[in-house]
Amino acid sequence: MSQEDKLKSKIQAGEIVVSGVSKEYGANQFAKEVVKDCSFTIERGKLTVMIGPSGCGKSTLIRLLAGFEHPTAGTISINGKPVTGPARDRLVLFQETALFPWMTTYDNILYGPRARGEVTKETLELAEFLLSKVGLQEFRKKYPTQLSGGMQRRAELARAMINNPEVMILDEPFRGLDAMTKELMWEYYSALYEENRRTNFFVTTDIDEAIFLADRLFIMSNIPTRVRAVLEVDVPRPRRLLDIVENDRSNEIKMEALSILHEEAMKSFSRGSKAAADFVEAYSKRVAKT
Amino acid sequence: MLEILKKTMPFQVVSDTMLRRIAELGKRVAYDKAAIIYDAGDSAGDIYIILSGKVEHTLEPGVNARRPVQLLGAGDVFGWAALLEKFPHRLAKAVAIEPAEIVRINGDDLLRLLESDPDSGDVVMSRFATMITRDYTVPDLIAQMRAIHRKLHSSDIQGMNLTMYRLSLWLKSPRPYLMLIGFGLFLSFWYLAVEVWKLPRFREMPGLTVVIKEWLNPDPSYGLSIYTAEYYQHILVSIWRVTQAFVLASLLGVPLGLFLGWSRKFKEYVFPVFETLRPIPILAWVPLAIVMFISTESAVIYLTFLASFFATALNTMLGVESIDESYVRAAYCLGAKRHQVFRHIIIPGALPFIFTGLQISIGVSWFSLVAAEMVSGQYGLGYVINTSYTMVRYPTIVIGMITLGFVGYVTSAMVRILGDYLMQWRVRELALGGQ
C-alpha cells in the first residue's frame, strides 16, 4: 500500500456538536458574556469555514473547541463524547506560528508521536511522506527561524497531520503572510483537504479565503457570538483560484455573505467599533463598484 | 551585452567584474521568426537572455502556473529550468515570434562561477527563485533552486565548528581592532594622567609603568608578580571558590526559578520571601555567615553563592514566564503530558534567559567573592587587594584588580560559549541572521 493510501485508510473524520454554549469572563456584575447560546454542528468530512467581524469571539470559540477553556453553559462533544481538555483528536493550528524554535523541522513534525511514545517504523515513513508532501525534505534539519512564513505554515500542517486527527481546527492560519504566498497556501491547503477529506474547521476574517475554501460557511453575529447564517458553498472541487474568481456561483455566495456581514458590522458600528466602521466603508465602496 | 545583463532581474545586483565574467560564459545566437528554441521535456542545459526580438514562453499545464503564457522581450531571462533542483527537463516551450538575438549561458558553468563568490551568488539564485514564482507564477515547490556549494556554509556547521566559524568571522571584522584601540586609549590615558600630566587625584595613584614593572618583575619589590608562585595560588583559590559557589548557585537556582515560573501556587509561597531576601547586600550577610559557618572557607563560599543564586533563580523564572503560551498549547494539543511540556517546552524555552542569568551570576559571584575575601580568608585576589591596602603596597592592589578583571572576563566568556553551544537554534537566529 502506498503512503498515500495508508494515510487515507486511517482517516476517521470526526463530528463536533456544539449545543447551547455560552462563555462568560469575570464574575457577578463584572461578567462579560462573549459567547451566548451558540449551537452548531461541524459535519463529518467537510470543510466548514467560520467568518465574522473581528472581535466577535471566534478565538474564544476555538479555545473552547480545543479544550483549553470550558464553557460556562452548554456542551461541546466530539463523536458524541464530551470535550474535557485538549487532545490529539482535535488539532488546533493557531494564528501565531507555534513551531518549537529549538527543534528542527523534522523534530517538530515528529513531536506528537514522540510525546505519546507512538513512534513506529510506520510513523517514520509517514513523516518522510509528509515532509515531501509539504515540500520540506531539504529543510528537515533547519530550525523554524530559517524557514520562510509559508514554509513554517506548511511544516505546521505536516506536524498536525502526522497525528491523524479526527478534526483539524485552524484559527486564521494564513494571517500575516504576504498576498502571493497566501494565495498559494489556499490552493495548497485546499488540495491537501481534497485529497483526504478530513473534518476541517477553519476560522477567518477574509471573505475571499472563506469562499475559496469552504464547503459550508458559517457567518457569525457580533458579540455575543452566534451563528447568524449558514451558506452551502456548492462550487465544484478541485478549485483553482482563477476559476473561483470567474465563477458566478461563488460570486453570488460572496455577495450574499457580504451583505449579511455588512448588517452585522452596522450593528457593531452603532456600538462604536472601529473595525466595524472600516468594514462598512470598504463594503460600501465595493458595492458601488459592482 | 553587459548593459542588457545589468538590467535583468537576477543580475542587477552583481558587481561589474562578476558581470563581465558572466558575459564571457554567454554565446550569442540568432533565431529566425517562428524558430522553436526548446520544447517541454527537452533536457535543460542553458539559460537564455534576450538581447533583441520577442519570445513566447508557454509553461506546460503540469506546472500549475497561474499565467502559463508569457511574452518576453529584450532583457528578459528564461530557460531557468537549467537551475532548478528537481527538474532537469524543460517545463515550457519557447518560440521566437520575431527574429531574436539571444545569449545562452550554460547553467552548470553559471553555477560554478557563482560558487567562486558565494555571497553574491546566493543573491543571484534567490532572485531567480523570486522571479520564477512571481513573474512566472510557478508554485514555490517547483521553484527550488540548485544550491551553491560553498566550502564553508554557515548553516551546515554544527557545535564547536560553529563557534570556530564565528570566531573567524570576528577576526575578519573590524571589531577586534576597535577593541584594541579602546584598550590603547584607556591605557594611554592612565599613563598620561598619572605619570606625565600628574593630574590632581591621579597623582597619588600607581602609574602604568610602575604597575607593569612590578607585575613583570622576577624579584618584585612588594612580593607579588607573575614570577611568584603565590600569585597563581591566589588566582587558583579564587577561581576554585567561584566555581564551587557558581555551580551550587546554578544547581539550586535554575530548578527553583523553573518551578517559580511553572507553578503559580509555588510562586505565591516562595516569591515574597525571595524578593525580601534578594536586595540584602552581601556585606550585610557577613556577620551572620561567620556565625553560621564554623570554617571561614565555607562562609566565603556561602557569601559568594548568595548573590549568584538570586540572579540565576530570578532570570530563570522570567525565562519561563517569557515563553509564548502558544508553544505550551501546541504541545498539549499534540498529546504531551504535563511533565513532557515541562521538559520539552519550558526548559528549552527558558534557556536563553537562564544563560543570561548565568552570565550575570558569574559576574556577581566575582563581585561578592572579593567582598567576602576582604572580610575573611587567607588567600584569594580579594585578600591580596585588602592586605596590600593595609600594608601600603599600591602597585600590588592594581595587579590584583587587573587580574580579577581578566579572570572574570574569561569565566563569563566561557559561560557564553557554553550557552551558544547548547542553543544552536538561537545562535542561528541572532548571529547568522536566520541563515
Side-chain angles (χ1 to χ4, degrees):
Chain A
M1 210 168 18
S2 76
Q3 280 299 325
E4 192 85 54
D5 297 332
K6 268 191 204 167
L7 186 64
K8 266 187 207 164
S9 69
K10 275 205 200 154
I11 288 173
Q12 292 175 307
E15 180 188 58
I16 292 188
V17 179
V18 173
S19 62
V21 163
S22 301
K23 177 70 183 172
E24 275 179 21
Y25 288 104
N28 305 328
Q29 71 268 42
F30 301 111
K32 189 173 176 226
E33 199 161 45
V34 178
V35 179
K36 189 177 182 182
D37 193 23
C38 190
S39 300
F40 57 86
T41 301
I42 300 170
E43 282 180 30
R44 233 175 263 283
K46 282 204 171 166
L47 205 171
T48 306
V49 174
M50 175 180 275
I51 186 168
S54 42
C56 78
K58 298 188 299 289
S59 294
T60 307
L61 215 45
I62 296 265
R63 286 198 295 273
L64 293 173
L65 289 178
F68 293 121
E69 288 176 14
H70 303 287
T72 347
T75 56
I76 300 175
S77 60
I78 173 162
N79 298 333
K81 282 176 294 181
V83 164
T84 51
R88 54 82 73 95
D89 55 5
R90 287 156 283 127
L91 266 173
V92 187
L93 250 72
F94 288 99
Q95 274 171 27
E96 326 77 46
T97 301
L99 290 173
F100 307 132
W102 45 87
M103 291 182 197
T104 59
T105 310
Y106 186 71
D107 290 338
N108 260 295
I109 291 178
L110 271 180
Y111 184 75
R114 278 187 184 155
R116 298 189 305 270
E118 292 170 5
V119 182
T120 56
K121 196 166 150 274
E122 214 171 302
T123 327
L124 295 178
E125 280 167 19
L126 185 59
E128 289 305 316
F129 172 72
L130 286 171
L131 263 175
S132 66
K133 186 108 233 166
V134 297
L136 292 174
Q137 302 109 304
E138 315 274 315
F139 296 88
R140 65 171 69 221
K141 282 188 187 154
K142 303 273 183 200
Y143 291 97
T145 44
Q146 297 172 283
L147 304 181
S148 71
M151 288 176 178
Q152 291 181 358
R153 297 323 317 212
R154 296 206 300 265
E156 254 183 300
L157 282 173
R159 182 171 77 171
M161 285 192 302
I162 199 169
N163 302 291
N164 195 23
E166 293 175 21
V167 182
M168 294 248 289
I169 301 171
L170 302 97
D171 183 11
E172 296 190 52
F174 306 142
R175 189 181 184 161
L177 296 177
D178 64 87
M180 174 93 200
T181 316
K182 195 171 181 173
E183 290 177 2
L184 287 171
M185 285 302 293
W186 293 350
E187 292 196 335
Y188 186 80
Y189 165 73
S190 108
L192 275 181
Y193 162 73
E194 279 155 16
E195 265 169 35
N196 47 43
R197 301 274 173 172
R198 224 182 272 284
T199 310
N200 272 244
F201 184 61
F202 192 107
V203 172
T204 182
T205 50
D206 181 336
I207 183 75
D208 292 311
E209 182 169 276
I211 304 275
F212 180 75
L213 298 175
D215 289 327
R216 302 178 83 207
L217 186 61
F218 289 171
I219 300 177
M220 305 307 286
S221 72
N222 222 312
I223 286 187
T225 305
R226 262 189 206 160
V227 178
R228 164 68 210 279
V230 180
L231 302 179
E232 297 292 331
V233 184
D234 43 5
V235 179
R237 288 178 183 277
R239 294 178 191 166
R240 314 245 330 143
L241 209 57
L242 268 189
D243 306 342
I244 285 282
V245 173
E246 286 159 9
N247 185 300
D248 293 335
R249 179 67 188 131
S250 82
N251 284 328
E252 215 177 284
I253 300 170
K254 185 168 159 183
M255 285 321 287
E256 194 181 343
L258 275 175
S259 66
I260 301 172
L261 280 168
H262 178 245
E263 271 172 44
E264 283 309 314
M266 284 305 276
K267 273 191 235 156
S268 48
F269 183 37
S270 62
R271 276 184 249 126
S273 152
K274 171 77 175 72
D278 292 343
F279 178 83
V280 170
E281 199 191 317
Y283 175 78
S284 323
K285 275 186 199 154
R286 198 162 201 159
V287 171
K289 251 199 294 184
T290 45
Chain B
M1 178 147 81
L2 275 179
E3 263 155 41
I4 292 267
L5 274 185
K6 191 145 192 80
K7 277 186 210 140
T8 60
M9 149 100 173
F11 300 126
Q12 264 164 7
V13 279
V14 302
S15 65
D16 285 347
T17 26
M18 187 63 151
L19 213 58
R20 223 165 289 132
R21 292 171 67 193
I22 293 172
E24 278 165 23
L25 292 177
K27 283 173 296 195
R28 275 166 187 258
V29 184
Y31 289 91
D32 294 333
K33 187 172 175 179
I36 295 174
I37 301 169
Y38 57 73
D39 204 345
D42 291 357
S43 73
D46 294 354
I47 68 159
Y48 297 77
I49 299 138
I50 305 177
L51 293 178
S52 64
K54 291 244 178 317
V55 170
E56 190 185 64
H57 183 274
T58 313
L59 280 159
E60 61 169 322
V63 174
N64 282 340
R66 261 189 282 144
R67 280 170 51 209
V69 186
Q70 290 233 14
L71 195 62
L72 307 175
D76 283 332
V77 181
F78 65 99
W80 31 258
L83 297 173
L84 289 183
E85 185 83 63
K86 295 180 194 143
F87 298 91
H89 298 289
R90 294 292 178 199
L91 303 168
K93 181 177 183 175
V95 181
I97 54 170
E98 58 182 62
E101 197 178 9
I102 293 173
V103 179
R104 300 176 61 151
I105 300 177
N106 184 277
D108 291 327
D109 291 345
L110 181 65
L111 267 181
R112 225 166 291 133
L113 177 61
L114 293 176
E115 272 164 25
S116 68
D117 181 7
D119 286 331
S120 68
D122 269 352
V123 179
V124 172
M125 295 305 268
S126 76
R127 285 212 154 201
F128 261 113
T130 322
M131 177 194 89
I132 297 171
T133 46
R134 205 183 57 194
D135 300 347
Y136 291 83
T137 58
V138 166
D140 54 353
L141 291 182
I142 292 178
Q144 281 171 18
M145 307 298 294
R146 278 159 67 183
I148 293 185
H149 299 283
R150 43 172 85 193
K151 281 171 197 78
L152 194 61
H153 196 282
S154 48
S155 56
D156 298 330
I157 342 171
Q158 289 286 338
M160 238 20 223
N161 285 336
L162 184 64
T163 313
M164 292 311 293
Y165 173 69
R166 292 180 70 206
L167 189 70
S168 75
L169 275 190
W170 182 71
L171 284 174
K172 275 183 218 152
S173 75
R175 281 159 53 213
Y177 311 104
L178 294 178
M179 180 184 85
L180 289 179
I181 294 174
F183 272 115
L185 285 174
F186 170 71
L187 292 176
S188 28
F189 175 75
W190 179 12
Y191 173 70
L192 292 170
V194 178
E195 288 169 68
V196 180
W197 299 330
K198 298 192 192 304
L199 296 179
R201 293 182 199 285
F202 285 92
R203 223 175 1 220
E204 307 305 319
M205 296 243 306
L208 176 65
T209 49
V210 178
V211 170
I212 289 180
K213 266 185 209 150
E214 176 75 7
W215 203 5
L216 304 177
N217 195 345
D219 181 23
S221 3
Y222 301 105
L224 204 69
S225 79
I226 58 166
Y227 291 97
T228 57
E230 227 182 315
Y231 177 63
Y232 298 99
Q233 196 171 3
H234 288 304
I235 295 179
L236 281 181
V237 167
S238 285
I239 289 181
W240 175 231
R241 283 174 182 154
V242 163
T243 310
Q244 292 177 69
F246 175 72
V247 169
L248 203 62
S250 310
L251 287 180
L252 294 173
V254 172
L256 177 73
L258 287 173
F259 285 117
L260 279 173
W262 175 238
S263 156
R264 191 166 294 165
K265 202 163 210 173
F266 184 68
K267 184 177 172 183
E268 273 161 20
Y269 279 119
V270 177
F271 197 60
V273 180
F274 181 89
E275 276 300 84
T276 320
L277 295 179
R278 196 167 63 92
I280 301 175
I282 295 305
L283 284 173
W285 279 96
V286 171
L288 271 190
I290 294 173
V291 175
M292 272 164 77
F293 296 93
I294 303 128
S295 88
T296 38
E297 189 61 23
S298 24
V300 169
I301 289 171
Y302 173 70
L303 290 172
T304 312
F305 154 86
L306 262 185
S308 298
F309 169 74
F310 286 120
T312 307
L314 187 70
N315 275 283
T316 307
M317 183 191 87
L318 294 176
V320 176
E321 286 171 357
S322 78
I323 294 172
D324 199 328
E325 186 63 29
S326 59
Y327 300 140
V328 179
R329 272 193 252 151
Y332 278 127
C333 251
L334 293 167
K337 303 260 168 4
R338 208 171 137 82
H339 71 271
Q340 286 172 316
V341 171
F342 189 75
R343 244 180 40 228
H344 302 147
I345 312 300
I346 301 300
I347 295 179
L351 219 48
F353 271 74
I354 294 179
F355 270 91
T356 311
L358 292 182
Q359 272 197 57
I360 296 175
S361 139
I362 194 117
V364 193
S365 68
W366 280 103
F367 214 82
S368 22
L369 173 83
V370 173
E373 283 179 341
M374 282 180 162
V375 176
S376 59
Q378 295 275 305
Y379 282 99
L381 292 166
Y383 170 80
V384 167
I385 292 170
N386 199 38
T387 44
S388 305
Y389 170 65
T390 49
M391 302 172 85
V392 211
R393 296 169 178 167
Y394 292 148
T396 312
I397 295 182
V398 179
I399 292 175
M401 286 167 69
I402 295 175
T403 311
L404 254 179
F406 184 71
V407 178
Y409 182 81
V410 170
T411 49
S412 116
M414 279 160 57
V415 173
R416 191 168 57 237
I417 290 171
L418 177 69
D420 287 355
Y421 180 72
L422 288 177
M423 295 182 292
Q424 302 278 320
W425 55 277
R426 196 162 160 87
V427 175
R428 296 228 156 84
E429 187 180 330
L430 299 177
L432 300 172
Q435 277 265 290

